[in-house]
Amino acid sequence: MGRKILPEVHEEDPGFLKFITGENGVVRKWLRAGASGWRLDVADELPDVFLDALRRAAKAEKADALVLGEVWEDAPIIQLWPSSAAICWGISLTV
């Protein structure tokens, strides 16, 4: 669906994952350049495989890198999510 000014990507595509989270990907490049971590808008709309890969790449590059996901939902709604619930409680992004 996307917007004309924003790219539409497939976060689970192996090529996209490599571009973002690979050894010379976006995540690691900016951490090497001095970034302290990553803030993800609408993290609840990103696939678990993408979030996990991003967290792993960040922590592999900089053990103390912060990965923060923004979620704009009420707590009772979040509790109904299946696998994404672990992310909301900080299990997947901070381990």
Side-chain angles (χ1 to χ4, degrees):
M1 186 154 136
R3 302 271 185 221
K4 290 182 180 182
I5 60 171
L6 297 174
E8 187 170 333
V9 299
H10 301 280
E11 294 90 352
E12 296 180 63
D13 179 87
F16 182 75
L17 279 172
K18 182 178 178 182
F19 175 72
I20 299 296
T21 66
E23 185 66 35
N24 294 307
V26 173
V27 169
R28 293 178 187 223
K29 173 185 176 176
W30 286 103
L31 289 171
R32 286 182 198 129
S36 298
W38 289 91
R39 178 188 178 276
L40 308 171
D41 286 344
V42 292
D44 57 319
E45 295 181 21
L46 295 168
D48 290 345
V49 67
F50 177 81
L51 293 172
D52 188 53
L54 189 141
R55 179 195 58 81
R56 288 179 189 275
K59 296 298 183 177
E61 190 61 43
K62 187 183 279 188
D64 65 345
L66 174 68
V67 178
L68 177 70
E70 170 200 41
V71 177
W72 283 73
E73 296 286 352
D74 293 330
I77 293 172
I78 293 171
Q79 290 175 339
L80 297 175
W81 296 346
S83 60
S84 296
I87 292 165
C88 295
W89 303 122
I91 297 167
S92 182
L93 295 180
T94 60
V95 171

